[in-house]
Amino acid sequence: MKRLAILLALALPACGLHPLYEGGGSGTVARGLAQIEVAPIAGKSGYLMSNALRDRLPNRGDGAAKYRLEIKLDDSIVGLGVRSDNTITRERRSLRARYQLVDAATGETLLDATAGSDAGIDVVSSEYATIAAENTAQENLSNIVADQIVTRIAIYTRRTADK
């Protein structure tokens, strides 16, 4: 066991792994994320997504954004569980985002990717409770997808900074 620990201690520095947010708030990734402006996104899901992204991106202050993040959302609810009387007992809410990181000066697309997640919703006898569950799922999915987007952009920022 001791030999394994020694081998790992010797091998890890050579593997090229580096912390993603190395340098903290003044590191390469944090500075890159602080230069992103989120373009307006349509609809309630767009409003939730914009807020979730702004919560995760560092404040860029008064400076002009170097990058623009453009997002198109697909938010859907599909009935899954159906009883013999054709009433739905379970729904799946899906949120998919196609996002592009665009150079604000040139208009060049630097990153074009997708992110998404699903949530299951029980349909109960109370319509109010079902609507509340759908709204909660929408908020949670916005946060999950925003995390995916920011993580992917952080990885992109880190990789391009090393070049």
Side-chain angles (χ1 to χ4, degrees):
M1 189 58 114
K2 193 173 187 180
R3 289 183 195 170
L4 180 61
I6 293 171
L7 285 173
L8 285 175
L10 294 173
L12 281 179
C15 74
L17 291 177
H18 301 282
L20 182 59
Y21 290 99
E22 185 175 38
S26 61
T28 304
V29 172
R31 285 193 319 269
L33 292 176
Q35 297 176 2
I36 297 174
E37 172 188 39
V38 179
I41 310 168
K44 180 180 177 185
S45 290
Y47 168 78
L48 293 170
M49 179 63 65
S50 293
N51 285 341
L53 288 167
R54 287 186 184 102
D55 287 346
R56 286 155 178 77
L57 294 172
N59 186 2
R60 76 173 183 274
D62 296 331
K66 185 175 179 183
Y67 308 105
R68 186 176 60 255
L69 182 59
E70 298 177 354
I71 300 175
K72 292 184 178 116
L73 295 176
D74 179 21
D75 181 18
S76 64
I77 301 176
V78 177
L80 295 177
V82 181
R83 292 188 184 139
S84 59
D85 64 352
N86 286 334
T87 58
I88 295 173
T89 60
R90 187 96 173 130
E91 296 176 331
R92 180 180 69 211
R93 185 162 207 154
S94 299
L95 182 63
R96 303 283 180 261
R98 178 172 182 217
Y99 59 96
Q100 296 177 317
L101 184 65
V102 178
D103 185 310
T106 65
E108 177 187 2
T109 300
L110 305 172
L111 178 64
D112 188 349
T114 59
S117 191
D118 302 313
I121 303 166
D122 288 326
V123 178
V124 295
S125 59
S126 168
E127 187 175 339
Y128 174 79
T130 301
I131 291 170
E134 290 171 351
N135 288 336
T136 300
Q138 185 180 30
E139 291 172 19
N140 292 339
L141 290 173
S142 295
N143 287 319
I144 291 167
V145 173
D147 284 339
Q148 293 173 4
I149 292 170
V150 171
T151 300
R152 178 64 179 95
I153 293 172
I155 291 168
Y156 170 81
T157 303
R158 176 65 185 201
R159 286 185 181 156
T160 56
D162 289 340
K163 292 181 180 180

